[in-house]
Amino acid sequence: MIGADGLHSTVRRLAFGDESDFIHHLGMHLCIFTMDNILDLENWQIWLRDGDAGLGLFPVRDNTQLKVNLGFHKERLDYDYRDLDQQRRLVAEHCGGLRWEAPRLLEAMWKAPDFYFDSMAQIRMPSWSKGRVALVGDAGYCASPLSGQGTSLAMVGAYVLAEELGRSLEGAFDRYESRMRPFAEANQALALENPGGPASDESVAKAKNAITL
């Protein structure tokens, strides 16, 4: 059984225990959704921050739509990650004080079919396998969107695991973890190095080259 079911992995919970044993919150929450390009932005990004909240906008789909990011700093919040309306209320509450176009963005948020919200958090585990169960990607070593490496970790992890399973079932999970853990930890470190800003070029290069396929 391979668990590749994300930050709130059910496979991880059933095989390894409660999420609270492995999740490490980074003190930020983020929502992302798509709306019409009401600002007529063309190949340009806009970012605004005011206190503990902020927003970011950039055009997609040939500049016909906006990808909206709304976020706020807050220690762990208790909410149902399946209840989208509850999550929208949290965003409205914590980002409602933003000025400029924020009211129109928040209004569009309630209608967006692709609304996503979650805390910025990492999963750190002493082992990614147990018996015949192993974890891949965010389920085992989520680095958070703040690292910018979630897709890379998931794809590389799946590749390495498949390669080791193809070599031999015996010891495959141990070999997979031995190869992947330095890469995962280097990429997780990118989100922690400079909170609120980018990691250094040196750290990015180190993370990028932390594994050989």
Side-chain angles (χ1 to χ4, degrees), residues 13 21 28 36 45-46 55 58 91 97 118-119 134 147 161 166-167 178 181-182 189 204 210:
R13 176 174 55 81
D21 293 336
M28 183 181 293
D36 291 338
Q45 299 184 16
I46 295 177
L55 62 85
F58 56 89
V91 175
D118 214 331
S119 64
S147 74
L161 179 56
R167 286 176 177 166
S178 178
R181 186 169 286 277
V204 173

Short mmCIF file of all heavy atoms in Angstrom, two decimals, residues 13 21 28 36 45-46 55 58 91 97 118-119 134 147 161 166-167 178 181-182 189 204 210:
data_model
loop_
_atom_site.label_atom_id
_atom_site.label_comp_id
_atom_site.label_asym_id
_atom_site.label_seq_id
_atom_site.Cartn_x
_atom_site.Cartn_y
_atom_site.Cartn_z
N ARG A 13 -2.54 8.24 8.71
CA ARG A 13 -3.24 8.16 9.99
C ARG A 13 -3.54 6.72 10.38
O ARG A 13 -3.35 6.31 11.53
CB ARG A 13 -4.54 8.98 9.92
CG ARG A 13 -5.40 8.88 11.17
CD ARG A 13 -6.59 9.81 11.10
NE ARG A 13 -7.40 9.61 9.91
CZ ARG A 13 -8.31 8.65 9.80
NH1 ARG A 13 -8.54 7.79 10.81
NH2 ARG A 13 -9.03 8.53 8.70
N ASP A 21 0.98 13.96 15.51
CA ASP A 21 2.29 13.44 15.88
C ASP A 21 3.37 13.83 14.88
O ASP A 21 4.57 13.74 15.19
CB ASP A 21 2.25 11.91 15.97
CG ASP A 21 1.38 11.41 17.11
OD1 ASP A 21 1.18 12.18 18.08
OD2 ASP A 21 0.88 10.27 17.04
N MET A 28 1.47 30.21 9.31
CA MET A 28 0.85 30.95 8.21
C MET A 28 -0.25 30.10 7.59
O MET A 28 -0.19 28.87 7.60
CB MET A 28 1.89 31.31 7.15
CG MET A 28 1.36 32.14 5.99
SD MET A 28 2.65 32.52 4.75
CE MET A 28 3.71 33.58 5.71
N ASP A 36 -11.94 36.02 -12.70
CA ASP A 36 -11.75 36.81 -13.92
C ASP A 36 -10.68 37.87 -13.70
O ASP A 36 -10.50 38.38 -12.59
CB ASP A 36 -13.06 37.49 -14.32
CG ASP A 36 -14.12 36.50 -14.79
OD1 ASP A 36 -13.75 35.38 -15.21
OD2 ASP A 36 -15.31 36.85 -14.72
N GLN A 45 2.78 40.67 -11.97
CA GLN A 45 2.34 40.25 -10.65
C GLN A 45 2.20 41.44 -9.72
O GLN A 45 2.92 42.43 -9.85
CB GLN A 45 3.33 39.26 -10.03
CG GLN A 45 3.53 37.99 -10.82
CD GLN A 45 4.45 37.02 -10.10
OE1 GLN A 45 4.72 37.16 -8.90
NE2 GLN A 45 4.94 36.02 -10.83
N ILE A 46 1.27 41.33 -8.78
CA ILE A 46 1.08 42.36 -7.76
C ILE A 46 1.02 41.67 -6.40
O ILE A 46 0.28 40.69 -6.22
CB ILE A 46 -0.21 43.17 -7.99
CG1 ILE A 46 -0.11 43.96 -9.30
CG2 ILE A 46 -0.47 44.11 -6.81
CD1 ILE A 46 -1.38 44.72 -9.62
N LEU A 55 -1.83 39.74 0.11
CA LEU A 55 -2.41 39.14 -1.09
C LEU A 55 -1.40 39.18 -2.22
O LEU A 55 -0.47 39.98 -2.23
CB LEU A 55 -3.70 39.85 -1.50
CG LEU A 55 -3.64 41.34 -1.88
CD1 LEU A 55 -3.28 41.53 -3.35
CD2 LEU A 55 -4.99 42.01 -1.60
N PHE A 58 -1.57 37.18 -9.96
CA PHE A 58 -0.86 37.10 -11.25
C PHE A 58 -1.80 36.49 -12.28
O PHE A 58 -2.67 35.66 -11.95
CB PHE A 58 0.44 36.29 -11.14
CG PHE A 58 0.28 34.89 -10.60
CD1 PHE A 58 0.04 33.82 -11.45
CD2 PHE A 58 0.41 34.64 -9.24
CE1 PHE A 58 -0.08 32.54 -10.97
CE2 PHE A 58 0.29 33.35 -8.74
CZ PHE A 58 0.05 32.30 -9.62
N VAL A 91 -10.73 33.08 6.08
CA VAL A 91 -10.00 34.00 5.20
C VAL A 91 -10.63 35.39 5.25
O VAL A 91 -9.92 36.41 5.36
CB VAL A 91 -9.98 33.47 3.76
CG1 VAL A 91 -9.32 34.48 2.82
CG2 VAL A 91 -9.25 32.13 3.68
N GLY A 97 -9.39 43.18 6.52
CA GLY A 97 -8.85 44.52 6.72
C GLY A 97 -7.94 45.00 5.61
O GLY A 97 -7.52 46.17 5.61
N ASP A 118 -5.33 26.06 3.35
CA ASP A 118 -4.71 25.19 4.34
C ASP A 118 -3.66 25.97 5.10
O ASP A 118 -3.25 27.07 4.70
CB ASP A 118 -4.07 23.97 3.68
CG ASP A 118 -4.16 22.73 4.57
OD1 ASP A 118 -4.19 22.89 5.81
OD2 ASP A 118 -4.21 21.62 4.03
N SER A 119 -3.24 25.40 6.20
CA SER A 119 -2.12 25.96 6.93
C SER A 119 -0.83 25.60 6.22
O SER A 119 -0.74 24.58 5.54
CB SER A 119 -2.09 25.41 8.37
OG SER A 119 -1.87 24.01 8.35
N ALA A 134 3.97 2.34 2.63
CA ALA A 134 4.96 3.42 2.49
C ALA A 134 4.26 4.69 2.05
O ALA A 134 3.18 4.66 1.44
CB ALA A 134 6.05 3.03 1.50
N SER A 147 8.07 26.26 0.46
CA SER A 147 9.33 25.76 -0.11
C SER A 147 9.35 25.85 -1.62
O SER A 147 10.42 25.91 -2.24
CB SER A 147 9.55 24.30 0.30
OG SER A 147 8.69 23.44 -0.43
N LEU A 161 10.90 5.50 -5.54
CA LEU A 161 10.22 4.34 -4.97
C LEU A 161 9.94 3.29 -6.04
O LEU A 161 10.18 2.09 -5.82
CB LEU A 161 8.92 4.77 -4.30
CG LEU A 161 8.08 3.64 -3.69
CD1 LEU A 161 8.89 2.83 -2.69
CD2 LEU A 161 6.81 4.20 -3.04
N GLY A 166 11.22 -1.90 -8.38
CA GLY A 166 11.56 -2.65 -9.58
C GLY A 166 12.83 -3.48 -9.42
O GLY A 166 12.98 -4.53 -10.04
N ARG A 167 13.75 -3.00 -8.59
CA ARG A 167 14.99 -3.73 -8.37
C ARG A 167 14.75 -4.99 -7.54
O ARG A 167 15.23 -6.07 -7.85
CB ARG A 167 16.01 -2.83 -7.69
CG ARG A 167 16.60 -1.77 -8.60
CD ARG A 167 17.51 -0.83 -7.85
NE ARG A 167 18.13 0.14 -8.75
CZ ARG A 167 18.76 1.23 -8.35
NH1 ARG A 167 18.86 1.50 -7.06
NH2 ARG A 167 19.29 2.04 -9.24
N SER A 178 16.48 5.87 2.20
CA SER A 178 17.88 6.24 2.29
C SER A 178 18.26 7.23 1.19
O SER A 178 19.02 8.18 1.43
CB SER A 178 18.75 4.98 2.17
OG SER A 178 20.12 5.31 2.21
N ARG A 181 15.58 10.76 1.77
CA ARG A 181 15.51 11.60 2.96
C ARG A 181 16.42 12.83 2.89
O ARG A 181 15.98 13.94 3.23
CB ARG A 181 15.80 10.77 4.21
CG ARG A 181 15.61 11.57 5.51
CD ARG A 181 15.63 10.70 6.74
NE ARG A 181 14.42 9.92 6.89
CZ ARG A 181 13.30 10.38 7.45
NH1 ARG A 181 13.22 11.64 7.86
NH2 ARG A 181 12.25 9.59 7.57
N PRO A 182 17.68 12.73 2.45
CA PRO A 182 18.49 13.96 2.35
C PRO A 182 17.89 14.99 1.40
O PRO A 182 17.94 16.20 1.65
CB PRO A 182 19.84 13.44 1.83
CG PRO A 182 19.88 12.01 2.24
CD PRO A 182 18.47 11.53 2.12
N ALA A 189 14.05 22.48 4.33
CA ALA A 189 14.82 23.57 4.93
C ALA A 189 14.64 24.89 4.19
O ALA A 189 14.80 25.97 4.77
CB ALA A 189 16.30 23.19 4.98
N VAL A 204 19.16 26.80 -2.37
CA VAL A 204 18.35 26.27 -3.46
C VAL A 204 19.18 25.31 -4.32
O VAL A 204 18.73 24.22 -4.68
CB VAL A 204 17.79 27.41 -4.33
CG1 VAL A 204 17.10 26.84 -5.58
CG2 VAL A 204 16.80 28.25 -3.52
N ALA A 210 20.54 17.54 -4.30
CA ALA A 210 20.69 16.65 -3.15
C ALA A 210 20.36 15.20 -3.47
O ALA A 210 20.38 14.36 -2.57
CB ALA A 210 19.81 17.14 -2.00
#
